[in-house]
Amino acid sequence: MKKAIKITDNVYYVGAHDYNLRDFHGSMYPINEGATYNAYLIVDEKITLIDTVEIDFYDEMLERIRSIIGDRMIDNIIIQHAESDHSSAFMKLMNEYPKAKAYVSISGKRAMLAQFFKDYDYQSVKTGDTLNIGRGTLTFIEMPMIHWPDNMATYFDDDRILFSNDAFGQHIISFKKFDDDYDYSYLIAKAKEYYANIVMPYGKNVLNKLKAIADLELAIDYIAPSHGIIWHKYIGKMLADYKDFASLKSKDKVVIVYESVWNNTKTIAETLAEGLGQNDIEPKVYKLSKTDSSLILSELLDAKALLIGSGCYNNTLASEICSFIDKAISLNIKDKYVGTFGSYGWNKLPIVNMDKKAENIGILLEDFNIAINYAPTQEDLEAVYEKAQKLAEFLKEKN
Ligand code: FEO
């Protein structure tokens, strides 16, 4: 038996709890505690639903909706984002509420048609368009590329809520829907992880949109995203931190990722960590095949540099490293420094040529590439340590 959760006098949470989800958006974002697909019902003279849920959770959403409006009809459905976690239950819902009008951004309409093939007389809206629903009015704000072209936010003036869709989301699954119930450090770590894994490539769009929303001078008491809890008490702090995320503001920290079979590349990685750590640059060291990529990306968001290490596998690198380099290229972190290292047996080329791949990630560290034959000698390790020391001095100057 699923019931709506009251948010304000007129607004209810009618979304779904996906307790068993461990891979958010395929294998792109491993998570530990499940996720929510937030849908919100506004009960005004007109009944309006903000977003739907992933299709497997349709019944849960409908139960929550009916617990509030019974047999009353929904008048408006706002499709803030065409990605399936928010839109795939829409068509089924239209069978239940066939007279509901669907509002969507222009590119959202294109995406809905391209995915679900049926036109529902979608009403296209753009930034600044409004919809009166009784006492209150909805104002639409396009949020292109945060993180799809069609993302949109909706402001409800009566309860001063900004429904922000994917922006400002986090993967917290709980009946305690407001930030007041949590420590800020826990919340912002979750929001940072979400940002790093979903939004990081679009920092410029985020910065522009944060400014555009500030310029609208909306009175905002709540920011209600489509995943996780609702921001209320910590809105100001969270927006300030989001600005830092979007500008990739970095600390004296380096992320070291590697793959190693016989511990030679591992020894290089840990010697680099020693040289950095002993010189006031915090190293975060991860063996890729043993670490969730979501953690690595979260740490990378505010690191100054990324060092990537691999052993040699016949004539190429470890497959995990190849795939990580591709992922790192997609993150658009071009102002972070990147260096490469590894151990090889009889073929040096994969290691010395790593720089050619890594230079597409960010700013390649000149003369950094470390290629060591089989096991590093004491002399090799001293040279690696010295390289890390020099890197630490270099990075400390970059603030
Ligand atoms: Fe939560 Fe872009 O979907």
Side-chain angles (χ1 to χ4, degrees):
M1 194 182 73
K2 307 281 166 68
K3 288 184 179 172
I5 300 166
K6 190 169 179 173
I7 302 300
T8 61
D9 283 346
N10 308 302
V11 177
Y12 296 85
Y13 176 88
V14 291
H17 290 184
D18 188 350
Y19 293 109
N20 294 315
L21 191 72
R22 293 294 177 269
D23 291 310
F24 186 71
H25 289 12
S27 59
M28 182 172 145
Y29 180 0
I31 56 175
N32 298 320
E33 295 175 33
T36 65
Y37 312 117
N38 298 348
Y40 300 96
L41 193 71
I42 307 176
V43 181
D44 202 327
E45 286 166 28
K46 302 270 187 191
I47 305 282
T48 302
L49 180 68
I50 308 280
D51 289 323
T52 70
V53 297
E54 205 270 328
I55 184 72
D56 291 347
F57 297 85
Y58 171 80
D59 290 343
E60 179 173 339
M61 175 181 66
L62 191 62
E63 263 190 77
R64 293 194 201 277
I65 291 172
R66 285 201 171 135
S67 74
I68 295 300
I69 60 170
D71 292 334
R72 264 184 84 181
M73 289 288 112
I74 290 177
D75 300 288
N76 307 306
I77 300 175
I78 315 299
I79 303 165
Q80 298 195 109
H81 184 20
E83 193 161 15
S84 284
D85 49 338
H86 310 295
S87 68
S88 54
F90 167 75
M91 284 175 63
K92 205 167 170 187
L93 195 68
M94 286 303 277
N95 294 334
E96 198 68 31
Y97 301 106
K99 291 192 176 153
K101 273 218 173 313
Y103 295 82
V104 63
S105 67
I106 293 164
S107 70
K109 177 176 174 176
R110 270 198 299 273
M112 289 300 284
L113 290 171
Q115 291 179 105
F116 305 116
F117 315 123
K118 188 169 170 185
D119 195 353
Y120 286 90
D121 189 24
Y122 291 114
Q123 309 292 300
S124 296
V125 291
K126 55 187 189 317
T127 299
D129 286 352
T130 58
L131 175 67
N132 181 265
I133 55 173
R135 291 180 309 279
T137 297
L138 303 176
T139 302
F140 302 107
I141 303 159
E142 292 159 286
M143 308 273 278
M145 297 320 294
I146 308 174
H147 66 124
W148 272 24
D150 67 290
N151 282 86
M152 183 167 88
T154 306
Y155 178 67
F156 179 46
D157 60 355
D158 205 31
D159 286 352
R160 302 172 27 147
I161 303 179
L162 180 70
F163 298 101
S164 61
N165 193 257
D166 278 336
F168 315 119
Q170 1 70 38
H171 289 312
I172 295 171
I173 187 160
S174 169
F175 283 82
K176 292 183 173 164
K177 294 294 179 196
F178 294 101
D179 60 0
D180 317 39
D181 277 313
Y182 304 84
D183 281 342
Y184 182 72
S185 55
Y186 168 74
L187 293 178
I188 203 64
K190 288 285 194 178
K192 181 185 172 198
E193 177 197 272
Y194 181 91
Y195 182 92
N197 283 273
I198 300 290
V199 193
M200 181 143 63
Y202 307 110
K204 255 193 198 133
N205 302 59
V206 174
L207 286 174
N208 291 338
K209 196 43 76 173
L210 285 172
K211 186 181 177 317
I213 290 173
D215 289 349
L216 290 172
E217 294 183 346
L218 303 171
I220 297 173
D221 288 344
Y222 302 93
I223 293 180
S226 56
H227 300 288
I229 57 89
I230 295 167
W231 299 97
H232 176 52
K233 180 178 174 186
Y234 297 119
I235 287 178
K237 254 173 137 170
M238 179 276 285
L239 289 176
D241 281 333
Y242 233 73
K243 221 182 248 182
D244 287 349
F245 299 162
S247 54
L248 294 175
K249 191 173 171 189
S250 54
K251 300 175 181 169
D252 282 342
K253 177 169 82 171
V254 169
V255 169
I256 301 173
V257 293
Y258 72 93
E259 205 50 50
S260 178
V261 175
W262 302 117
N263 291 337
N264 296 325
T265 301
K266 173 175 177 271
T267 303
I268 304 171
E270 292 184 1
T271 306
L272 285 168
E274 197 69 17
L276 290 164
Q278 298 283 1
N279 288 280
D280 304 320
I281 294 282
E282 187 192 4
K284 291 284 182 182
V285 186
Y286 303 111
K287 185 172 184 181
L288 261 182
S289 55
K290 291 201 179 296
T291 316
D292 280 350
S293 59
S294 49
L295 171 64
I296 297 172
L297 296 200
S298 194
E299 291 295 344
L300 186 56
L301 179 64
D302 54 6
K304 284 186 176 170
L306 169 66
L307 303 180
I308 306 172
S310 176
C312 213
Y313 295 67
N314 300 319
N315 59 353
T316 186
L317 305 171
S319 59
E320 293 89 348
I321 292 291
C322 295
S323 144
F324 178 80
I325 289 174
D326 281 343
K327 184 159 190 155
I329 290 169
S330 80
L331 297 177
N332 202 11
I333 49 168
K334 296 214 176 294
D335 61 349
K336 293 194 189 292
Y337 291 92
V338 188
T340 61
F341 62 93
S343 152
Y344 66 94
W346 55 96
N347 182 3
K348 192 177 185 176
L349 288 180
I351 307 302
V352 295
N353 287 338
M354 269 176 94
D355 272 4
K356 286 187 188 149
K357 295 182 183 205
E359 70 185 1
N360 296 314
I361 299 172
I363 308 164
L364 196 64
L365 289 164
E366 278 177 36
D367 302 323
F368 185 87
N369 177 262
I370 299 165
I372 291 176
N373 193 214
Y374 290 105
T377 62
Q378 192 54 35
E379 209 170 62
D380 287 333
L381 292 180
E382 276 162 24
V384 169
Y385 187 94
E386 203 174 302
K387 215 159 227 192
Q389 243 176 341
K390 276 189 190 153
L391 177 59
E393 295 315 316
F394 172 75
L395 293 176
K396 278 188 279 188
E397 301 289 309
K398 306 282 172 188
N399 274 317

